[in-house]
Amino acid sequence: MQILLPVLYGWLIPVLVMGWDWNAQKNRRLMEDELTQVLRARSMILAFVVLMGGVTVALGLGLWRADYGVLALPYVLALGGASAGLRFAWLDREAGRDG
């Protein structure tokens, strides 16, 4: 159960950022403007970089000690998802200051 929670966070936050949840699907026409698309793209780019860096570190750990590499993977997923959510929230906040 402990391993499933970081994996859930790793998937759930990007799903919400990308607008793939039920509420966002119902209101897609209201939430699909150019600014939101740019903010989503920027946040997912950061998440991809964090995820690739984390997996690279986990691979290095796996070459050194296989059990550490496997244990690091759920946390790498959680960090990737968290970086997407935090970056999107920060960009949305900064965009709201101008208007």
Side-chain angles (χ1 to χ4, degrees), residues 11-84:
W11 279 97
L12 182 63
I13 295 171
V15 164
L16 294 175
V17 167
M18 293 302 295
W20 294 336
D21 60 323
W22 177 253
N23 289 330
Q25 289 294 325
K26 289 191 316 188
N27 300 319
R28 177 63 92 185
R29 62 181 172 79
L30 301 173
M31 298 176 60
E32 202 55 37
D33 60 344
E34 291 86 8
L35 177 63
T36 305
Q37 289 176 351
V38 168
L39 297 181
R40 285 179 179 161
R42 287 185 181 176
S43 64
M44 294 309 286
I45 288 169
L46 176 68
F48 179 74
V49 169
V50 168
L51 188 62
M52 291 300 291
V55 169
T56 303
V57 170
L59 175 66
L61 282 173
L63 292 174
W64 177 56
R65 297 269 313 255
D67 52 342
Y68 289 167
V70 171
L71 288 174
L73 287 176
Y75 298 104
V76 168
L77 282 173
L79 283 175
S83 66

